[in-house]
Amino acid sequence: MFQWQPYAFDIPAGNGSKLDGVLKDVLDALSYSLKYQFEIQFQEDHQYGSLQPDGNFSGMFGALQRKDIDIAGPFVASEQRTRVAEFSNCLGFSKLGIITGVISSDRNIFLYANLFSWQVWLALLMTIIGVAFVAALIYNVTVDGWKDDQLSLLARYFWVFWSNLIGQDGGTTSHWALVNIWNLQSFRILLAAWLLGPVINSLFSYQGSITSTFAVSKMRPVVADLDELVEKTSVVPVVSKGSAVQICFMDSPEYAHLWKRMKNDRIVFSPEEVEETMKKIERGTHIMIIDYIYALTVVSDYVKRRGICSVQVEELRFCQNFITLGIRKGIPLKTIKKINTRLTYIMQAKLTDRWVNRVFPNYTHCTKQPQEGVNPLSITDILGGFLIWGIGIICSLVLLLIEIFENKRAKRKKRDNSSSATFVAPYEQKTDAKYRHRFMSYCSR
């Protein structure tokens, strides 16, 4: 017998230990119904059993192959193991789980911009430009007659609809760009499509995303699935020696390369090695891939001892098999049939589910994604917005200086043109004799 909680494990009893778990209940039921007596032996090398280079099996399957025992288990059935054992009917189903550490979610100064993907931001920008273009076209055709500067007109309408998007002046009719075309049906259809589409969806979706993203700071697993494990080559995957997990990876065309990473990091599932591996998992350098229910058990026990929820279990949709008992080849088929019939009754009555709850009713403890708590927005969370705002102010000041320079240059040019266009009459110098003659004539009268 190999320890696999909650299916099979030993508990203290007097000066020694005794079997407990689902396997104990199954053997008790078989003993009662078939009048069999079972002698329990614990597997000393803590291995299920795998095929060795010499063609023999290790662990429990090695004992079955040598005919040292008659029934072994529980374990996951595989084609390779049928060489040395007959499989009983199903006791349950096994799926894999990853025991992984947890890390804080990625939070950076531009996280608020990551609430939407770049495709969404691009779609919003193109939508505003498109709506502004159509509105400018309506204005030109119905009001202005193409007299205004078109680029300036498009920019003004762009700003109007951008203000709508962020919740400003969404229902006003007094704006110069809207007052003359507000009652036009074409513009009302355009505005209705704009308000019902991008404005409502984007504005309220963004507000909800802001609340859910920033209000609660979350933790995430170091490795959530096998695809992420493939990408994170620095994380060491650990499996049990002689387990069905290694057979799954060895035989999988998709994940066979992961076997090369984990074959040198197989451990014997003794309490000491499991404890040492769990400490590495907590530090984020390792993960462990084992049966999902067993993973829940290991994590729950570790969290209870540590007092903190620093590890968790992620379910894998890979290598799902049924849990069974191995029966030594050579056992009479009549005996095997009797055992399978009783196991079928047990499964139909869902007794194994009840027995799992009996031996370990709280195995879901600390398996969900933990949360650090609810915190108010910090300056770090929205620093990106202030940074962009500062860049905008600087750009605005630069443009203001350029505009001032352009205005001064335009005034200087206008003044120069005005001076060159003014006519100056030539000065005619008059002699003293001419004036003297008139003066003398006047006096002589």
Side-chain angles (χ1 to χ4, degrees):
M1 190 272 297
F2 177 83
Q3 295 209 48
W4 178 2
Q5 296 185 15
Y7 290 98
F9 56 95
D10 59 327
I11 58 175
N15 296 328
S17 61
K18 65 178 182 179
L19 174 66
D20 198 4
V22 176
L23 181 60
K24 171 186 176 299
D25 295 320
V26 169
L27 295 180
D28 288 345
L30 293 178
S31 297
Y32 178 80
S33 60
L34 298 177
K35 309 302 180 183
Y36 290 166
Q37 296 295 324
F38 295 97
E39 180 183 349
I40 307 299
Q41 296 181 4
F42 291 94
Q43 188 63 35
E44 295 182 357
D45 61 2
H46 299 278
Q47 293 189 41
Y48 295 97
S50 60
L51 186 63
Q52 303 300 304
D54 60 1
N56 295 319
F57 279 79
S58 61
M60 288 190 295
F61 280 96
L64 286 172
Q65 186 180 30
R66 296 188 301 270
K67 298 184 179 181
D68 295 338
I69 56 177
D70 295 320
I71 297 179
F75 42 64
V76 172
S78 69
E79 182 179 359
Q80 185 185 83
R81 291 171 170 175
T82 57
R83 301 179 186 180
V84 295
E86 302 286 349
F87 290 129
S88 70
N89 284 359
C90 176
L91 293 177
F93 290 91
S94 171
K95 53 187 176 182
L96 297 185
I98 296 179
I99 301 179
T100 174
V102 291
I103 55 176
S104 296
S105 299
D106 181 25
R107 307 186 74 180
N108 55 69
I109 62 175
F110 291 105
L111 183 59
Y112 79 98
N114 293 335
L115 298 179
F116 287 160
S117 65
W118 68 267
Q119 293 94 336
V120 174
W121 287 115
L122 180 61
L124 286 175
L125 177 62
M126 298 305 297
T127 301
I128 298 174
I129 294 175
V131 173
F133 177 80
V134 176
L137 181 63
I138 294 173
Y139 182 83
N140 281 319
V141 172
T142 60
V143 178
D144 186 67
W146 305 93
K147 295 179 181 179
D148 281 353
D149 177 65
Q150 297 304 306
L151 186 60
S152 176
L153 184 65
L154 181 64
R156 291 175 181 177
Y157 273 110
F158 181 90
W159 181 253
V160 169
F161 288 106
W162 173 255
S163 300
N164 292 162
L165 185 63
I166 62 176
Q168 299 295 324
D169 298 332
T172 182
T173 60
S174 59
H175 196 280
W176 72 268
L178 305 178
V179 65
N180 293 316
I181 62 174
W182 183 264
N183 293 322
L184 297 176
Q185 294 299 324
S186 58
F187 180 75
R188 288 194 172 186
I189 292 175
L190 176 68
L191 189 62
W194 167 248
L195 294 176
L196 291 176
V199 171
I200 292 179
N201 288 337
S202 302
L203 182 61
F204 289 100
S205 297
Y206 192 82
Q207 290 175 349
S209 298
I210 282 284
T211 302
S212 61
T213 300
F214 288 119
V216 179
S217 58
K218 299 180 179 179
M219 304 286 285
R220 66 173 306 274
V222 174
V223 174
D225 51 42
L226 294 180
D227 293 333
E228 189 173 1
L229 178 60
V230 172
E231 296 175 359
K232 295 185 175 181
T233 56
S234 60
V235 177
V236 179
V238 177
V239 296
S240 172
K241 285 184 178 180
S243 66
V245 178
Q246 68 180 41
I247 298 176
C248 289
F249 282 99
M250 290 172 62
D251 296 340
S252 171
E254 184 178 2
Y255 296 113
H257 58 285
L258 286 177
W259 168 245
K260 297 179 181 179
R261 289 171 54 184
M262 64 179 63
K263 66 180 181 180
N264 295 325
D265 292 285
R266 294 172 294 166
I267 65 170
V268 174
F269 262 50
S270 63
E272 296 77 18
E273 290 208 38
V274 170
E275 182 71 17
E276 183 64 27
T277 303
M278 291 299 294
K279 293 178 181 179
K280 296 177 181 178
I281 293 173
E282 187 176 7
R283 292 195 294 267
T285 60
H286 291 61
I287 58 109
M288 186 187 299
I289 304 176
I290 56 175
D291 173 73
Y292 180 69
I293 296 181
Y294 191 19
L296 296 175
T297 307
V298 172
V299 167
S300 295
D301 290 342
Y302 186 76
V303 169
K304 289 175 183 177
R305 293 194 305 272
R306 293 276 293 157
I308 57 174
C309 194
S310 56
V311 292
Q312 67 183 54
V313 179
E314 296 293 325
E315 183 179 348
L316 292 180
R317 302 293 182 182
F318 173 71
C319 192
Q320 300 186 22
N321 290 296
F322 63 88
I323 302 171
T324 182
L325 298 176
I327 303 175
R328 174 178 60 83
K329 286 186 177 294
I331 296 291
L333 293 179
K334 184 177 180 180
T335 302
I336 297 176
K337 185 177 180 180
K338 288 181 179 180
I339 293 175
N340 286 334
T341 300
R342 297 305 186 277
L343 291 178
T344 300
Y345 294 159
I346 290 173
M347 288 296 298
Q348 290 176 345
K350 297 186 180 299
L351 292 178
T352 52
D353 294 338
R354 181 181 299 179
W355 293 335
V356 167
N357 293 330
R358 176 189 67 81
V359 297
F360 203 77
N362 193 30
Y363 60 80
T364 56
H365 175 66
C366 199
T367 58
K368 299 297 183 182
Q369 179 172 299
Q371 297 180 347
E372 294 175 334
V374 178
N375 298 316
L377 289 177
S378 66
I379 188 64
T380 304
D381 294 327
I382 56 177
L383 185 59
F386 284 101
L387 180 60
I388 293 179
W389 175 73
I391 294 174
I393 291 295
I394 294 174
C395 294
S396 178
L397 292 176
V398 171
L399 290 175
L400 179 61
L401 293 176
I402 294 175
E403 290 174 352
I404 293 174
F405 175 76
E406 291 292 335
N407 288 336
K408 287 185 177 180
R409 189 174 66 172
K411 289 180 180 180
R412 188 183 304 111
K413 184 177 180 180
K414 183 177 180 181
R415 186 169 58 250
D416 293 342
N417 292 337
S418 176
S419 299
S420 61
T422 303
F423 176 77
V424 180
Y427 176 72
E428 181 181 356
Q429 187 175 5
K430 301 178 181 179
T431 61
D432 292 342
K434 185 176 181 181
Y435 282 100
R436 187 180 302 115
H437 173 73
R438 290 181 178 180
F439 178 75
M440 292 177 65
S441 298
Y442 177 79
C443 291
S444 63
R445 291 178 183 178

